Amino acid sequence: MTELSIFKSGAIATSVKREPTELGKSLSASSTTRRIQTNTNGTFKRIINGEQVGNAVRGEINVIIVHALPEVSRVYYKGKYDPNAKPTLPDCWSNLGKTPEAAASNKQGTSCQTCPQNVKGSGDNGGRACRFQRRLAVLVSGDSTGEIYQFNVPAKSLFGKGTGNVHPFESYVKFLLGNGESPDTVVTNISYDLNADSMQLLFTPMRNISDEEYAAVKEAQANPEAKSYTMLTVAQADGVTAKPALMGITNQELADVTQKISQGKGRVAPSDEPDEDEDEPQPVKRASRKTEAVATTAKADLASTIDAWGLDD
């Protein structure tokens, strides 16, 4: 289909290239959601409106980070992970890691600092039930469409020290700033840590962005979609609207957590890094008793110039 074949009558020729309108941008942002999903098999997948588009990329991808919130976010799911469950929104989450968002239907407290789900021992394997997370808005290097994707950095890929120019995310940002760069002025390589026992990501600066990429970054940063992706959960990005079953913390669970604190076995620390014994949760789905899970998929098409999207196992 040519550019003009959508019109019933003839088009008027114009001599000046017209930029996308604000109306077009706002409608596009509200009707299409895009994210890059990480997987335990070491692949990255493009998810458009909840469904995979194109083949997966194995091992690593290059992106340009165009937006991130100033603080690390938090996400809490009451139920256990179930890949076969119907999608729902999280029980509770906080974009800035301070207080639950108004949209959270099953708030676990009034403050993240005093929340019982932020206590060591409240989750599986002695960790915290409420997890750290970073949501980024990124452009894919080599994709001339300029389309913005959400990228979720899981808890175990956030903290720790780097080696040379290879870092977990929070250390990576400090490394860039300390060297006169910023996440939006460089092409970032995101790769799986092959030496880690669980799924962990590493971030490495590849090069400065080109003048053409700089223009694309500025355009993306002016798009409301970039900021919105840093505040949407995976379920929201996939268009999920179903709420989890209302199962707030029970009196017994609260008593157990309180006892752990009094015995020195638990602590509330919203800025603490994840504990070593915490298992990394799957960011895509989870189940409660009948209705809990976080998102899988619905269909869309996307033209892309991204190379080397290898087959997923």
Side-chain angles (χ1 to χ4, degrees):
M1 183 177 69
T2 66
E3 182 179 356
L4 300 181
S5 65
I6 64 172
F7 297 113
K8 184 175 181 180
S9 61
I12 298 175
T14 59
S15 58
V16 179
K17 180 180 178 181
R18 299 180 181 181
E19 300 296 327
T21 66
E22 292 302 318
L23 175 60
K25 290 179 181 178
S26 64
L27 292 176
S28 174
S30 63
S31 61
T32 303
T33 57
R34 296 175 295 274
R35 64 183 177 88
I36 297 175
Q37 175 183 300
T38 55
N39 303 284
T40 55
N41 65 353
T43 62
F44 300 92
K45 295 179 180 178
R46 288 182 296 147
I47 307 296
I48 312 297
N49 289 344
E51 182 164 300
Q52 180 179 342
V53 175
N55 293 324
V57 169
R58 183 170 297 282
E60 61 183 18
I61 57 172
N62 291 331
V63 304
I64 304 171
I65 300 167
V66 297
H67 203 286
L69 293 176
E71 303 290 342
V72 179
S73 302
R74 286 181 171 274
V75 178
Y76 169 73
Y77 304 110
K78 175 70 175 180
K80 302 295 184 181
Y81 170 71
D82 181 355
N84 299 313
K86 294 181 180 180
T88 73
L89 295 172
D91 289 77
C92 188
W93 72 93
S94 174
N95 288 325
L96 296 176
K98 305 298 182 184
T99 58
E101 297 302 316
S105 62
N106 198 6
K107 299 178 181 66
Q108 300 297 298
T110 58
S111 166
C112 296
Q113 185 173 6
T114 58
C115 180
Q117 307 299 355
N118 185 30
V119 177
K120 185 178 180 181
S122 59
D124 294 336
N125 301 318
R128 296 177 183 83
C130 187
R131 303 298 182 130
F132 295 91
Q133 188 182 78
R134 270 281 191 192
R135 306 182 195 106
L136 310 176
V138 304
L139 300 174
V140 177
S141 179
D143 183 358
S144 61
T145 65
E147 289 174 328
I148 306 168
Y149 290 82
Q150 181 186 68
F151 187 88
N152 294 282
V153 184
K156 284 194 173 182
S157 302
L158 284 172
F159 304 107
K161 295 181 179 180
T163 302
N165 62 351
V166 182
H167 295 260
F169 185 76
E170 299 300 313
S171 175
Y172 176 65
V173 172
K174 294 177 181 177
F175 173 76
L176 289 179
L177 297 176
N179 284 276
E181 298 292 348
S182 173
D184 58 352
T185 65
V186 301
V187 174
T188 296
N189 176 266
I190 305 176
S191 62
Y192 287 91
D193 185 353
L194 300 180
N195 294 315
D197 293 331
S198 59
M199 187 186 74
Q200 296 183 40
L201 303 174
L202 296 172
F203 298 80
T204 308
M206 299 298 290
R207 58 172 174 81
N208 287 108
I209 60 175
S210 66
D211 291 343
E212 183 179 358
E213 289 168 331
Y214 177 79
V217 167
K218 288 300 181 183
E219 182 177 347
Q221 290 175 336
N223 189 335
E225 190 176 56
K227 184 177 180 180
S228 72
Y229 278 170
T230 65
M231 296 187 291
L232 295 176
T233 67
V234 169
Q236 288 173 308
D238 283 349
V240 173
T241 58
K243 296 180 180 180
L246 292 178
M247 298 186 302
I249 186 168
T250 65
N251 291 334
Q252 184 59 52
E253 288 173 326
L254 181 60
D256 291 342
V257 169
T258 302
Q259 183 179 18
K260 289 178 180 178
I261 295 175
S262 65
Q263 295 175 347
K265 296 180 180 179
R267 51 193 168 91
V268 174
S271 62
D272 275 1
E273 299 178 4
D275 304 294
E276 290 297 326
D277 52 2
E278 285 188 357
D279 285 338
E280 188 57 49
Q282 296 293 328
V284 182
K285 302 177 184 176
R286 70 104 178 84
S288 78
R289 307 217 165 135
K290 287 186 179 180
T291 62
E292 295 182 358
V294 180
T296 56
T297 56
K299 202 162 189 175
D301 188 24
L302 177 68
S304 173
T305 59
I306 306 171
D307 294 329
W309 290 89
L311 292 176
D312 182 29
D313 287 341

